[in-house]
Amino acid sequence: MLFKDFSQNINPHQAYRLKKLKRQLEHAESYEEWKSIALKIDEESGAQEWKLDNSSPYFDAEIISHRLSLLKRYRTQQRTRDLMYILSEGLSYDIGNIAHPLLFTEAYVGTKKIIEDYVEEVSKSLAFIASAECTCLNVEQKIEFFKQSQTAFGQPVLMFSGGSTLGLFHTGVCKALMEQDLLPKVLSGSSAGAIMTAMLGVSKPSDFAGLLNGHNFFSEAFHFRKLSELIQGNGGLADVKYLKKFLIENLGDLTFAEAYKQSGLHINIAVAPYDASQDARIMNAYTSPDLLVWSAVLASCAVPILFPPVRLTSKRYDGQLTPYMSATRWVDGSVRSDFPQEKMARLYNINYSIASQVNPHIVPFMQDDAARFRKSMLSWPERIVRRQGKVISKGVMDFARERVGSIPPVRRLLDHGYGVVDQRYYGDVNIVGKYGLRHYSYMLQNPRPYLFKVLQREGERATWPKISLIETQARVGKTIQHCLELLNYQHEPEQCQAEYIAV
């Protein structure tokens, strides 16, 4: 159960109202409607009282209370230097452990009030420094402070897993985040998630909303072959020609560098060399600026056995298309790096990650936050089984690789299997679909508009309960970004005026 049940000590009439509200919550058509009902549930169940109680084993209320009082005092007294000092001292999204996931599972909306007040005060203090009220700093000094703050605080990343047609779930995640202005500037994807990443990455910001309306989205991306064709051989379960045609039509011949200029998004596509002895890679505007986006996505969708490995294509300085590392063939990145968090953290100064997970072989085994982080005695058997199960699986595959490593196809299959088991499939915030048997039947269907709507709505509904957590983590970073944009805008006329006077 994701949210704590506060209804154990309530009367039958309250229990009836809660049950009715929860039914309404399941049928909410928008986040605003969902949030309105969720707040009523929190009020009715007693979760609002929990928010007012500062005691919790999951964060340091004393540190947060002390810093909150200092920030308020320095801001109201306009002690700018002291304010800058105390802000710089604690520019972290999880200071005092305020981003602990279990602080956001007790209530449907929000968390401890002192945490919300602290984040609000940090934003107010930053806004004060950027405002005209702060007169002890000039614009250049303010810009320097906010650039340092932006580096110190970092930025989030949104990661999309693989999952074939189930990847349409990602569109709902994007839609829900975009409507709340919470879509990160850094995206990554593998397999079906690579398609979602690339579709956004080659679009102009003004086209993002229209893209998520689903007009012909994925309609011909995956074309599953008939049984008679499979019996004849000459390929895998899906026909790669349809996917390649779809990608070229929708992504064009843009390189990663050109895509960044167009969308302003840092997109990352996970691919893996067919030779499993080499590490998986992420393709982006830094590591492979001249690589064609559609080429990387095609490789990321080349699931072993289902699709043949592919070669990559890049664009030279003169516009001519040429092979990229022509001696290497590439396959689906999710077999070894579904969520390449460490590599992106080094490139983009990532502070926290949001994972949209729909991989059909992963979702059934994933735990919610309450199950993952609980430390009770009853949780020990499951924790031991999970950890030892992973160790044993890796040990068996290692043993098998030593015994049959001389047979290349078997060796590759074991290497890919080892990569699947050895990965970390969780982010700091996890948005996971709820699967039934019907979802596995979706994987063998050609995506159509009705299926797009079904899976997009599931993605939205899975995202709504996470909005409070994401908002809390993103609030300070977004304030820093907005202040920096405002100051840069103010600085441009001053620079132009200074240049004019100098002339």
Side-chain angles (χ1 to χ4, degrees), residues 21 24-25 28 30-42 109:
L21 285 169
Q24 293 175 7
L25 194 71
S30 67
Y31 176 65
E32 288 70 25
E33 182 184 354
W34 185 93
K35 184 177 180 180
S36 176
I37 299 169
L39 285 170
K40 292 177 183 176
I41 294 176
D42 287 343
V109 179

Side-chain angles (χ1 to χ4, degrees), residues 216-223 242-243 246 446-448:
N216 293 329
F217 204 92
F218 287 24
S219 60
E220 295 297 333
F222 301 111
H223 187 85
Y242 287 85
L243 177 57
F246 167 82
N446 284 313
R448 289 294 180 261

Side-chain angles (χ1 to χ4, degrees), residues 93-394:
Y93 81 97
D94 63 347
I95 182 171
N97 217 25
I98 61 174
H100 195 289
L102 292 188
L103 293 170
F104 295 85
T105 60
E106 304 288 335
Y108 281 90
V109 179
T111 182
K112 297 287 189 181
K113 189 174 187 302
I114 191 173
I115 294 176
E116 295 174 349
D117 290 344
Y118 175 75
V119 173
E120 174 72 18
E121 184 56 44
V122 171
S123 296
K124 285 182 178 179
S125 298
L126 289 166
F128 165 75
I129 294 173
S131 71
E133 293 180 63
C134 178
T135 57
C136 66
L137 301 173
N138 59 36
V139 176
E140 288 85 356
Q141 290 173 318
K142 292 180 180 181
I143 289 175
E144 182 182 359
F145 170 75
F146 279 100
K147 283 183 176 179
Q148 291 175 349
S149 299
Q150 193 171 52
T151 301
F153 193 78
Q155 63 178 326
V157 60
L158 174 58
M159 307 179 297
F160 302 111
S161 75
S164 187
T165 307
L166 295 173
L168 295 173
F169 176 95
H170 299 318
T171 66
V173 175
C174 286
K175 186 171 182 287
L177 293 177
M178 200 174 294
E179 288 174 350
Q180 304 305 314
D181 191 25
L182 292 172
L183 186 71
K185 296 292 185 183
V186 181
L187 308 175
S188 81
S190 59
S191 195
I195 298 177
M196 182 73 255
T197 300
M199 293 284 276
L200 287 169
V202 302
S203 302
K204 297 178 181 178
S206 58
D207 296 333
F208 289 169
L211 174 67
L212 297 177
N213 286 335
H215 181 62
N216 293 329
F217 204 92
F218 287 24
S219 60
E220 295 297 333
F222 301 111
H223 187 85
F224 297 98
R225 304 170 72 209
K226 297 178 181 178
L227 181 61
S228 57
E229 295 175 327
L230 292 174
I231 294 174
Q232 294 174 5
N234 301 321
L237 182 63
D239 194 332
V240 73
K241 291 186 298 183
Y242 287 85
L243 177 57
K244 183 177 180 179
K245 179 182 177 183
F246 167 82
L247 294 175
I248 293 174
E249 287 178 353
N250 287 275
L251 305 179
D253 280 339
L254 287 179
T255 64
F256 279 94
E258 292 167 343
Y260 173 70
K261 291 179 181 178
Q262 183 148 299
S263 67
L265 298 175
H266 293 282
I267 59 172
N268 299 264
I269 305 299
V271 298
Y274 184 53
D275 179 2
S277 64
Q278 301 182 50
D279 291 335
R281 290 183 56 182
I282 52 171
M283 303 305 193
N284 53 49
Y286 292 131
T287 61
S288 51
D290 301 320
L291 181 65
L292 294 179
V293 175
W294 72 257
S295 174
V297 176
L298 184 65
S300 191
C301 292
V303 181
I305 300 175
L306 297 181
F307 286 113
V310 302
R311 300 189 188 277
L312 297 176
T313 305
S314 61
K315 186 193 294 185
R316 287 197 328 186
Y317 57 88
D318 58 0
Q320 186 171 345
L321 303 186
T322 59
Y324 178 92
M325 295 182 64
S326 57
T328 304
R329 292 184 298 167
W330 306 81
V331 295
D332 178 11
S334 65
V335 297
R336 270 174 277 160
S337 187
D338 203 26
F339 293 153
Q341 299 183 57
E342 293 183 6
K343 295 178 182 179
M344 289 189 296
R346 292 195 293 267
L347 285 173
Y348 302 108
N349 189 26
I350 299 300
N351 54 10
Y352 69 92
S353 58
I354 305 169
S356 178
Q357 178 60 262
V358 294
N359 251 323
H361 60 288
I362 301 300
V363 169
F365 302 100
M366 293 192 74
Q367 297 175 293
D368 61 28
D369 291 334
R372 284 178 64 212
F373 290 98
R374 63 177 179 158
K375 305 295 183 182
S376 63
M377 289 287 291
L378 293 176
S379 69
W380 287 9
E382 183 178 358
R383 294 167 74 89
I384 292 171
V385 168
R386 282 178 172 271
R387 289 180 182 178
Q388 294 306 311
K390 184 174 182 177
V391 171
I392 292 170
S393 298
K394 290 165 63 176

Side-chain angles (χ1 to χ4, degrees), residues 446-460:
N446 284 313
R448 289 294 180 261
Y450 85 93
L451 188 55
F452 175 89
K453 292 179 181 178
V454 168
L455 291 173
Q456 183 179 73
R457 178 44 58 96
E458 289 186 8
E460 288 183 87

Side-chain angles (χ1 to χ4, degrees), residues 14-31:
Q14 286 178 301
Y16 171 76
R17 288 203 303 267
L18 278 172
K19 187 176 181 180
K20 185 178 179 181
L21 285 169
K22 288 179 180 179
R23 282 200 302 266
Q24 293 175 7
L25 194 71
E26 293 175 358
H27 297 93
E29 293 296 323
S30 67
Y31 176 65

Side-chain angles (χ1 to χ4, degrees), residues 37-98:
I37 299 169
L39 285 170
K40 292 177 183 176
I41 294 176
D42 287 343
E43 187 69 39
E44 195 75 38
S45 66
Q48 294 290 7
E49 297 175 8
W50 171 86
K51 296 177 185 179
L52 298 174
D53 181 6
N54 291 345
S55 62
S56 171
Y58 304 121
F59 82 110
D60 195 325
E62 186 177 345
I63 287 178
I64 299 305
S65 178
H66 177 65
R67 289 184 57 81
L68 177 58
S69 63
L70 287 177
L71 290 170
K72 283 183 177 179
R73 186 193 317 160
Y74 295 157
R75 179 175 60 83
T76 54
Q77 295 175 356
Q78 297 193 1
R79 294 166 58 179
T80 304
R81 295 293 181 180
D82 289 329
L83 187 61
M84 292 169 64
Y85 180 84
I86 198 71
L87 282 169
S88 298
E89 189 180 59
L91 272 178
S92 171
Y93 81 97
D94 63 347
I95 182 171
N97 217 25
I98 61 174

